[in-house]
Amino acid sequence: MNSIKVMVNGLPGNMSTKAAEHILQDSSLKLIPYALTGAEIEATETQIGSETVRLIQPAERQQMIESIKKAEGMVICVDYTHPSAVNDNAAFYCENSLPFVMGTTGGDRIRLLETVKKSEIAAVIAPNMGKQIVAFQAMMEYAAETFPDVFKGYTLEIKESHQQGKADTSGTAKAMIGYFSRLGTPFTKDQITMERDPEVQRSKWGIPEAYLKGHGWHTYSLRSEDGTVFFQFTHNVNGRDIYARGTVDAIHYLARKIDQAAKGRVFTMIDVLKGV
Amino acid sequence: MNSIKVMVNGLPGNMSTKAAEHILQDSSLKLIPYALTGAEIEATETQIGSETVRLIQPAERQQMIESIKKAEGMVICVDYTHPSAVNDNAAFYCENSLPFVMGTTGGDRIRLLETVKKSEIAAVIAPNMGKQIVAFQAMMEYAAETFPDVFKGYTLEIKESHQQGKADTSGTAKAMIGYFSRLGTPFTKDQITMERDPEVQRSKWGIPEAYLKGHGWHTYSLRSEDGTVFFQFTHNVNGRDIYARGTVDAIHYLARKIDQAAKGRVFTMIDVLKGV
């Protein structure tokens, strides 16, 4: 079996580096030693395990990608860059016949979809690559659609903890609010209890020292009006490995879709999960 | 609006009594002061709040039901009796045009469905009347069907606590095993941690004193192979109010279906939840 060639763009970022490390560990994938990077990056190369990856500036990317494609053939791009780069990068991938897995959030998402649909390439676009979390969100969405108001009269509490640097409320928690509201427990973003203090995270939440700088813990609690029934759903993620594993799965899924001649198609993490 | 007349059979049992109490509290329902009971019951009446309910022995039930129907018109029966009575009671309800909500477990379930389908009546048959728990089970079933193996490589732990008298493993926990197996974490009944010791339930689980004699607590924990991801689902039920509330909802649902001329139809708690 030929290995699938993958270019990880956005190096040397945290998430792109983690994804590249997981790609290196997958024997059916081949990390190619080039990566698109931002104009603000001064480094010309970065190290991923034993691999030295050459960083390509925007000004030289067109010329470089042509020679890379000549040498490597079909290349799948993984994009963990910056919200401001999302639309421009997508256009670049489409114009250069580079199928891609987009893990970067932000940008104009509608234009992003349109760019791919008008193109000859296929892409997986997933603001959250954590498969199990995406599955849990889909379960909640199913419940909200199928059993509206089943938790009517219940009291909801949402708590989340993330590394100190994260200023905004958890996007996952915000998405969950929508489902819980339809399930009969209306809730607003301001009611979410956010924890950003590393000392409290360690002592009260029990978050391991090593992950104080990178974690996403969420707990949703529901209590019936009379107090006799209690439901609780928790998903605690330490570090970024879950997202890197999901990225690798998305690459394999996209490669299968390319083999099936998918063109102008956008796939989501739900498609990757279903595997069809 | 005319109130819906309801006869609760199986009095003076724990669950039938709880259901009758909730029916009394619902102003659109009218508890009729008669109840079918077992031949082994010596009492001739029982007290539900301020209502005295006359207990009807099997030998006199045919004659009594005819006069009750003459006096009351349409009556919905609620059945919380005994596994050994399930099929005989269902046949009696069908022969006497008594739509029913069956909360009793056991008996020959296939014959039970056939009895209703061949009849002119409609019934709600639900081994678990806890709406929120049924909804959670449906979410798990949806996930198992839609995202097989999404938790592959994860380690599963299941813990449940019930009152000391309950000898067998939780039926809900056993049903969950099936879903978790399809989600990638195979598990057997013997791996479930069962707690039946009231002292441990109080001191370690924090189960309130008042509910040591009647509770069902369940926790399912999933941990990824590398330990960085942790999911936990908990549903803790104290007492029987959740089931009584579900019974009342099932009565209202069934009354609506009767208005829509449903005949020979069996509805489940999922139908009650969907409300259509």
Side-chain angles (χ1 to χ4, degrees), chain A residues 133-148 150-151 156 158 172 175-183 185 220 222 233 235, chain B residues 135-136 139-140 142-143 147 233:
Chain A
I133 293 172
V134 170
F136 179 59
Q137 281 187 265
M139 286 168 67
M140 290 293 295
E141 186 174 18
Y142 164 80
E145 271 170 23
T146 317
F147 312 121
V150 67
F151 283 102
L156 175 63
I158 302 182
T172 308
M176 289 291 178
I177 286 177
Y179 307 135
F180 280 115
S181 295
R182 289 154 69 194
L183 288 166
T185 51
Y220 315 89
L222 290 154
F233 306 119
H235 52 92
Chain B
F136 179 59
M139 285 168 68
M140 290 293 295
Y142 164 80
F147 312 121
F233 306 119

Side-chain angles (χ1 to χ4, degrees), chain B residues 75-132:
Chain B
V75 172
I76 290 179
C77 284
V78 168
D79 194 291
Y80 280 111
T81 58
H82 190 270
S84 64
V86 162
N87 292 101
D88 180 55
N89 285 0
F92 178 77
Y93 302 143
C94 290
E95 284 156 17
N96 289 284
S97 301
L98 297 161
F100 65 93
V101 172
M102 173 68 76
T104 315
T105 56
D108 181 338
R109 306 302 282 191
I110 291 171
R111 189 148 63 90
L112 173 59
L113 301 183
E114 282 168 359
T115 303
V116 178
K117 285 177 181 166
K118 282 188 296 194
S119 81
E120 292 292 303
I121 65 131
V124 174
I125 299 180
N128 185 343
M129 296 269 179
K131 286 200 307 176
Q132 294 76 20

Side-chain angles (χ1 to χ4, degrees), chain A residues 131-136 138-140 142-143 146-152 154 211 224 226-239 241-242 245 270 273-274, chain B residues 131-136 138-140 142-143 146-152 154 211 224 226-239 241-242 245 270 273-274:
Chain A
K131 286 201 305 177
Q132 294 76 19
I133 293 172
V134 170
F136 179 59
M139 286 168 67
M140 290 293 295
Y142 164 80
T146 317
F147 312 121
D149 285 338
V150 67
F151 283 102
K152 198 167 181 174
Y154 279 60
Y211 295 110
S224 67
D226 67 2
T228 63
V229 186
F230 179 71
F231 277 77
Q232 191 169 68
F233 306 119
T234 290
H235 52 92
N236 295 346
V237 172
N238 291 332
D241 288 292
I242 186 176
R245 282 195 294 270
I270 297 281
L273 277 165
K274 290 183 177 172
Chain B
K131 286 200 307 176
Q132 294 76 20
I133 292 171
V134 170
F136 179 59
M139 285 168 68
M140 290 293 295
Y142 164 80
T146 316
F147 312 121
D149 285 337
V150 67
F151 282 103
K152 197 166 183 176
Y154 279 59
Y211 295 110
S224 67
D226 67 1
T228 63
V229 186
F230 179 72
F231 277 77
Q232 191 170 66
F233 306 119
T234 290
H235 52 92
N236 295 346
V237 172
N238 291 331
D241 287 293
I242 187 176
R245 281 194 295 269
I270 296 281
L273 278 164
K274 290 183 177 172

Side-chain angles (χ1 to χ4, degrees), chain A residues 217-228:
Chain A
W217 285 32
H218 300 77
T219 290
Y220 315 89
S221 306
L222 290 154
R223 195 176 292 279
S224 67
E225 217 164 352
D226 67 2
T228 63

